[in-house]
Amino acid sequence: HLLLFLLFVGPFNCFASYSRATELFYSLNEGLPAGVLIGSLARDLHLPMAGGQRPAAPQPPLSFTLASRGLGGQYVQLDNRSGELHTSAMEIDREALCVESSEATVFGGAAAVSSSSSPSSESCLLLLDVLVLPQEYFRLVKVKIAIRDVNDNAPRFPVPHIRLSVPENAPVNTRLAIEHPALDPDVGTNSVQTYRLRDNYGVFTLDVEENESGERTPYLIVMGALDRETREEYVTVIVAEDGGTPPLMGSATLTIGISDINDNCPQFSDSQLNVTLYGNSSLGTHVATVHAVDMDLGSNAQITYSYSQKVPQSSRDLFHLNESTGIITLSSKVDGDTPRLHRLIILGNGPGCIPAVITVLVTIIKVMMRPPEVVPRFIANEAEGVVYLKELEPINTPIAFFTIKDPDEKYKVNCYLDGDGPFRLSPYKPYNNEYLLETTKPLDYETQQLYEISVVAWNSEGFHVNKIIKVQVLDDNDNSPVFSQQLIELSIEENNVPNAFLTKLHATDADSGERGQVSYFLGPDAPSYFSLDKTTGVLTVSTQLDREEKEKYRYTVKAVDSGFPPRESIATVTITVLDKNDNSPRFINKDFSFFVPENFPGFGEIGVISVTDADAGQNGWVALSVLNGSDIFVIDTGKGVLRAKVSLDREQQSSYILWIEAVDGGDPALSSTAKITILLLDINDNPPLVLFPQSNMSYLLVLPSTLPGSPITEVYAVDKDTGMNAVIAYSIIGRRGPRPESFRIDPKTGNITLEESLMQNDYGLYRLLVKVSDHGYPEPLHSTVMVNLFVNDTVSNESYIESLLRKEPDISIEEKQPQISIEPAHKKMESASCMPTLVALSIISLGSIALVTGMGIYICLRKGKNHHRADENLEVQIPLNGRINLHVLEKRPMEISNI
């Protein structure tokens, strides 16, 4: 194939080649960003493109498509129209793509990644299969993209610490391979090139060897003499450096240990040792100790001691030499025939060495008398010279008998006790040479566990003998555990997490062993949700505590030791549960209702809003405020007293609904609201308002032909108050006219009707003063109005009637005390009966004139009718004294009630 290599493209150095076999080759650096141009397939294949030379006939547009999107297709973007290849958003990492050097191929026209030996052993190829359409230009293009390595990886040692061992006798130029060379995933010159030591101590250097596969291995070279006894270890840093620009480096700690060889032999610090020994020394007496030193290590420094062959057998038998320790002791008794001078030649033997030599010169001093003898006979338990006594043993507890004697039986022997402790050595009579060792007070293990005393015997010549006695005090369970605090005061916030830590109890027991081991238990008064670890003494609470439910806990805990019988102590635990703001203010009612009389004075007390908060302190402090209607109402924050700033008028507004908010003092604060309903009670502060007739100057024409019982007109009034304060009664309190009794008013409806037929003499102007009164308490209010009725066939002269109306009427007001019934309505007053009068009149005058009798009946019936009407309608008539100023009445405003 003929390959066409394209020139350098941009800063990314991309090359392309073309062959008739439609194979293209490109190369680019790894790590390039998205959108970098790799190559143009149309240009490199010399295919016609839009915008070029216009062909003779129209041609369909070119189309470039990846045969399939495999691994390689993730790293490139192919423009289907122009055939340009660009890098995609997925960055190309050569070390991740070409992990191994074996070639990988994906069949079926898939995109693949390949690392092959062509064009070089370091090549990493990205393989793409591209289809070119339409049919006129159809071909399968094999695109190979070589990924060039950049120096983006620093050398790295597989282990951070490398250890190398060099024998101390290693000759100069000894080479030792470092088993953990640095690794660099980059290739070529970007891989590891050199190694160096930061500190070579003047005796080491590094060299690098490259094998046939190109791997470089560092070697440590010894450049000077080594001596383990002078320095046994060298610590430095090995640095690996690659060949990139700029170069990258990696390092590891290199420890060079100098291994020991047997190049040193044992040596004694002195050549001769002089020792003096008394002839009366007992067997086993220490004579001397020899010690040699070998600077080597381990088995190379092992030393054994032995006598030289020059030492006579008699000296060998008299003195024993320990081969390992070099200790010389007296092994046989010195008598009169024993030589007084002994020369002991001792050899210090090391492996592969000439023995070191030391001479021990022992001089024996002859003694003419023997020392006193002390013979103990133990009463208490004794083992290997140690006497064991329990603490709290009673006073005068015997320990041992001691027999004191002179072996030569020539001298007087005395003895005494030397050492501190509650012991006494006294003669045991009647014997002269017997002494008893006993206690003088109880022993206490916690005060002192071991005593060392000496029984000293001496004769008259001044010879002393010491018999050392060790007394070990045995512990007894005589101490109870002791808490560090008898009262343990704790605190914890409420709403704690389950199994919350409270404290760690600590109790000590002066006894030893199991007797001093302390276990912890809760007292019987402890709630079940508290737990105490038996071993550690950790006190926890398994549930959430609620201060509002219980604020303080008090119970006991026990510390028990493991003695027999066990001993215990008790402490008291008090736990205070600290408050958290976990309760909102709470009103005693969700809804409050207050009934307040209208015209209640401003800032008067309407009612008290009671609110509580179960929290304590600042969290339980509650502030009240009015959420709505604050321009009319105000509440006392501390006392909860609700007041109105102004006097309230029921006729303007009969009720108010307020929302009161209670906010506590916690952080964050909690709140709640309550609904307040204020109902205004009516007070009789409004008199009835007459709506009709509208004027005292108005009049109504009444025809003489009007039948009795016919309605003439009505008085209509309203009262702004409510209840009984708004119940209106109508009454005529003043009349003027030809026959004023001809008209009647209904006390309930205010309807005015004609009572009797009108005659010729009844023509004229009738003026009725009507009183409109409510039933208010404690005092009814009323209004008056003048009803003018003109009885005539026609109104021929209106001006004349109006002139009559303008004149002040001479009306006498009916003087009648008000009759207010407080009994139930169904209870009627008894009507006045006229029957006794009729009987009396019939008895007095049987011949009374029928006219008199009829008039009497008429009068009685009318009086009874009036009484019955008054009782039925509960009419309250209040007399008005004096004259009525109709002009004043005329000017009163007539308002229409909103009821």
Side-chain angles (χ1 to χ4, degrees):
H1 300 286
L2 179 62
L3 299 178
L4 300 177
F5 292 93
L6 300 181
L7 296 176
F8 178 76
V9 180
F12 307 107
N13 198 17
C14 296
F15 294 91
S17 65
Y18 168 71
S19 74
R20 293 178 181 175
T22 63
E23 182 177 280
L24 295 178
F25 177 78
Y26 299 99
S27 64
L28 76 162
N29 292 340
E30 63 173 325
L32 295 179
V36 175
L37 178 64
I38 300 174
S40 175
L41 302 185
R43 183 187 61 197
D44 298 337
L45 294 173
H46 303 292
L47 297 176
M49 293 295 295
Q53 185 177 0
R54 192 180 301 271
Q59 298 292 331
L62 292 174
S63 173
F64 299 87
T65 308
L66 287 174
S68 64
R69 296 192 64 86
L71 178 61
Q74 300 176 8
Y75 298 97
V76 297
Q77 289 289 341
L78 175 62
D79 190 309
N80 294 337
R81 294 297 180 186
S82 66
E84 290 185 347
L85 273 175
H86 295 84
T87 56
S88 67
M90 183 176 291
E91 184 180 292
I92 298 176
D93 184 1
R94 184 187 182 283
E95 288 73 37
L97 282 174
C98 302
V99 178
E100 299 178 357
S101 61
S102 60
E103 184 173 354
T105 306
V106 179
F107 297 97
V113 177
S114 173
S115 176
S116 71
S117 59
S118 178
S120 69
S121 61
E122 298 174 357
S123 294
C124 178
L125 297 179
L126 196 64
L127 306 181
L128 304 174
D129 288 347
V130 181
L131 296 176
V132 182
L133 296 173
Q135 186 174 0
E136 291 82 352
Y137 301 98
F138 173 76
R139 66 189 69 190
L140 176 63
V141 182
K142 296 285 187 177
V143 179
K144 296 182 180 180
I145 303 174
I147 309 302
R148 292 196 297 269
D149 182 50
V150 297
N151 192 28
D152 56 348
N153 293 281
R156 184 178 60 86
F157 286 91
V159 293
H161 188 243
I162 302 173
R163 186 170 185 86
L164 195 63
S165 179
V166 181
E168 61 177 330
N169 63 344
V172 176
N173 294 326
T174 298
R175 301 170 65 87
L176 297 161
I178 297 177
E179 297 181 355
H180 301 286
L183 304 176
D184 193 329
D186 295 327
V187 296
T189 57
N190 293 331
S191 63
V192 178
Q193 299 298 314
T194 60
Y195 292 88
R196 58 184 173 85
L197 296 176
R198 288 187 182 172
D199 188 357
N200 57 20
Y201 298 97
V203 292
F204 300 106
T205 188
L206 286 179
D207 189 17
V208 179
E209 292 185 2
E210 184 175 353
N211 57 18
E212 295 178 354
S213 60
E215 295 179 354
R216 296 174 180 266
T217 302
Y219 280 82
L220 180 71
I221 302 176
V222 179
M223 301 299 294
L226 303 176
D227 185 7
R228 189 207 63 80
E229 288 73 31
T230 303
R231 184 165 187 167
E232 62 181 2
E233 187 177 76
Y234 297 86
V235 179
T236 184
V237 175
I238 181 172
V239 179
E241 185 175 315
D242 63 22
T245 304
L248 301 178
M249 292 176 288
S251 63
T253 301
L254 177 63
T255 301
I256 305 170
I258 309 302
S259 59
D260 184 55
I261 62 170
N262 191 24
D263 57 347
N264 291 279
C265 290
Q267 291 184 352
F268 289 105
S269 57
D270 298 313
S271 60
Q272 181 172 310
L273 186 62
N274 296 321
V275 178
T276 299
L277 180 67
Y278 288 99
N280 60 351
S281 298
S282 58
L283 298 180
T285 300
H286 179 270
V287 177
T289 299
V290 294
H291 180 68
V293 177
D294 192 323
M295 298 298 293
D296 293 327
L297 292 176
S299 61
N300 294 332
Q302 288 184 355
I303 301 175
T304 59
Y305 301 94
S306 62
Y307 283 124
S308 171
Q309 295 180 357
K310 297 180 180 180
V311 178
Q313 189 62 41
S314 59
S315 297
R316 294 169 182 257
D317 296 338
L318 185 62
F319 301 102
H320 175 263
L321 173 63
N322 189 300
E323 292 184 355
S324 300
T325 63
I327 296 176
I328 303 172
T329 56
L330 184 65
S331 60
S332 63
K333 212 166 184 54
V334 178
D335 54 22
D337 298 332
T338 301
R340 296 293 175 255
L341 183 62
H342 296 267
R343 185 183 298 273
L344 306 178
I345 301 173
I346 299 174
L347 305 178
N349 306 296
C353 291
I354 298 174
V357 179
I358 186 173
T359 300
V360 177
L361 194 62
V362 180
T363 301
I364 298 177
I365 300 176
K366 186 177 180 180
V367 178
M368 300 303 296
M369 64 180 66
R370 288 184 292 175
E373 293 182 355
V374 178
V375 181
R377 289 172 293 166
F378 294 99
I379 302 172
N381 293 331
E382 180 267 342
E384 297 182 359
V386 179
V387 178
Y388 296 93
L389 290 177
K390 289 185 177 181
E391 64 174 334
L392 303 181
E393 288 281 2
I395 301 175
N396 300 326
T397 297
I399 299 174
F401 277 113
F402 288 91
T403 301
I404 310 300
K405 61 181 180 179
D406 180 17
D408 297 328
E409 298 181 355
K410 296 180 180 180
Y411 306 100
K412 180 180 179 181
V413 179
N414 294 313
C415 72
Y416 65 92
L417 188 66
D418 186 21
D420 297 328
F423 305 102
R424 175 176 59 215
L425 184 66
S426 57
Y428 190 73
K429 297 181 180 180
Y431 305 103
N432 293 329
N433 59 343
E434 297 290 342
Y435 292 84
L436 177 64
L437 178 63
E438 58 186 353
T439 60
T440 58
K441 63 180 182 178
L443 302 177
D444 187 3
Y445 176 86
E446 288 70 37
T447 303
Q448 188 169 345
Q449 295 85 35
L450 182 65
Y451 295 90
E452 186 172 314
I453 55 178
S454 297
V455 176
V456 181
W458 83 97
N459 60 17
S460 56
E461 295 299 318
F463 280 94
H464 291 73
V465 173
N466 293 344
K467 182 63 177 180
I468 298 175
I469 307 295
K470 293 183 179 180
V471 179
Q472 177 67 55
V473 182
L474 301 179
D475 187 29
D476 200 358
N477 193 30
D478 59 336
N479 291 279
S480 299
V482 178
F483 280 100
S484 56
Q485 293 176 282
Q486 287 299 313
L487 178 61
I488 304 165
E489 296 179 326
L490 308 174
S491 62
I492 184 174
E493 278 194 343
E494 63 176 333
N495 304 330
N496 55 281
V497 296
N499 300 317
F501 173 82
L502 293 175
T503 189
K504 183 175 182 180
L505 303 181
H506 181 65
T508 57
D509 193 318
D511 296 323
S512 63
E514 292 185 354
R515 292 172 292 272
Q517 293 180 359
V518 179
S519 300
Y520 302 91
F521 302 93
L522 291 172
D525 54 344
S528 60
Y529 39 83
F530 288 96
S531 300
L532 180 59
D533 189 279
K534 175 182 177 182
T535 304
T536 63
V538 172
L539 181 63
T540 58
V541 56
S542 61
T543 186
Q544 282 190 347
L545 300 180
D546 186 359
R547 188 205 66 82
E548 289 72 36
E549 180 180 336
K550 190 171 183 180
E551 185 176 4
K552 287 188 177 293
Y553 295 86
R554 185 183 180 94
Y555 52 87
T556 57
V557 290
K558 295 190 299 182
V560 182
D561 64 22
S562 301
F564 184 81
R567 301 173 70 98
E568 66 179 40
S569 62
I570 296 176
T572 301
V573 175
T574 62
I575 301 174
T576 301
V577 183
L578 303 179
D579 184 54
K580 290 183 73 175
N581 192 28
D582 57 344
N583 289 278
S584 300
R586 187 173 183 179
F587 292 93
I588 60 172
N589 295 316
K590 287 293 183 182
D591 297 327
F592 291 84
S593 296
F594 297 105
F595 296 87
V596 181
E598 64 173 331
N599 302 329
F600 194 69
F603 292 98
E605 181 177 323
I606 294 175
V608 177
I609 310 300
S610 297
V611 62
T612 60
D613 194 315
D615 294 323
Q618 186 75 12
N619 295 331
W621 180 86
V622 179
L624 297 173
S625 61
V626 181
L627 295 180
N628 62 324
S630 58
D631 54 338
I632 300 177
F633 297 94
V634 66
I635 191 167
D636 188 329
T637 296
K639 298 180 180 180
V641 177
L642 181 64
R643 306 176 190 273
K645 298 179 182 178
V646 297
S647 179
L648 304 177
D649 187 358
R650 191 204 63 79
E651 285 70 38
Q652 293 184 3
Q653 187 170 339
S654 60
S655 64
Y656 295 88
I657 294 179
L658 304 178
W659 290 96
I660 303 296
E661 182 182 37
V663 181
D664 63 22
D667 185 18
L670 301 177
S671 63
S672 61
T673 57
K675 180 182 178 182
I676 312 297
T677 303
I678 301 173
L679 300 173
L680 297 183
L681 301 177
D682 186 49
I683 292 179
N684 194 26
D685 57 347
N686 292 280
L689 296 176
V690 179
L691 303 180
F692 185 84
Q694 297 182 356
S695 172
N696 289 329
M697 299 299 291
S698 63
Y699 66 93
L700 180 67
L701 177 64
V702 180
L703 298 177
S705 60
T706 303
L707 298 176
S710 298
I712 304 301
T713 185
E714 69 171 340
V715 177
Y716 180 68
V718 294
D719 196 316
K720 293 182 180 180
D721 296 322
T722 60
M724 293 301 295
N725 295 332
V727 176
I728 299 175
Y730 301 88
S731 63
I732 299 175
I733 60 173
R735 302 169 187 265
R736 181 180 175 84
R739 190 155 56 95
E741 293 83 4
S742 301
F743 298 96
R744 174 186 175 273
I745 190 168
D746 188 302
K748 287 186 177 180
T749 64
N751 291 331
I752 299 176
T753 58
L754 180 63
E755 287 288 296
E756 301 173 355
S757 299
L758 297 172
M759 304 299 178
Q760 186 67 31
N761 297 331
D762 296 336
Y763 283 38
L765 182 63
Y766 290 80
R767 309 199 74 175
L768 305 177
L769 182 60
V770 177
K771 175 184 175 184
V772 184
S773 176
D774 61 24
H775 284 65
Y777 179 84
E779 182 177 354
L781 301 178
H782 68 272
S783 300
T784 58
V785 66
M786 186 69 73
V787 179
N788 302 304
L789 303 176
F790 184 65
V791 179
N792 202 357
D793 293 326
T794 59
V795 179
S796 59
N797 192 350
E798 292 185 4
S799 59
Y800 170 71
I801 298 174
E802 291 176 357
S803 65
L804 293 177
L805 294 175
R806 282 194 291 271
K807 293 180 180 180
E808 184 175 345
D810 185 11
I811 298 176
S812 61
I813 298 175
E814 298 177 3
E815 297 291 341
K816 187 182 293 184
Q817 294 296 327
Q819 298 177 2
I820 302 176
S821 176
I822 60 175
E823 296 183 8
H826 65 272
K827 184 177 181 182
K828 298 182 179 181
M829 298 175 61
E830 296 183 358
S831 300
S833 177
C834 295
M835 294 304 296
T837 305
L838 296 175
V839 173
L841 291 175
S842 64
I843 294 173
I844 295 172
S845 178
L846 296 174
S848 299
I849 302 173
L851 181 61
V852 174
T853 304
M855 291 180 62
I857 293 172
Y858 174 77
I859 294 171
C860 292
L861 290 175
R862 187 163 183 83
K863 290 177 66 178
K865 189 175 182 180
N866 289 338
H867 279 287
H868 177 73
R869 186 185 300 117
D871 177 62
E872 180 179 356
N873 297 293
L874 297 175
E875 181 181 312
V876 180
Q877 296 182 352
I878 301 177
L880 300 179
N881 297 324
R883 293 180 175 272
I884 300 298
N885 189 343
L886 297 180
H887 298 287
V888 175
L889 293 176
E890 212 172 284
K891 294 178 181 178
R892 289 186 60 183
M894 300 296 180
E895 298 181 3
I896 298 177
S897 173
N898 60 357
I899 299 177

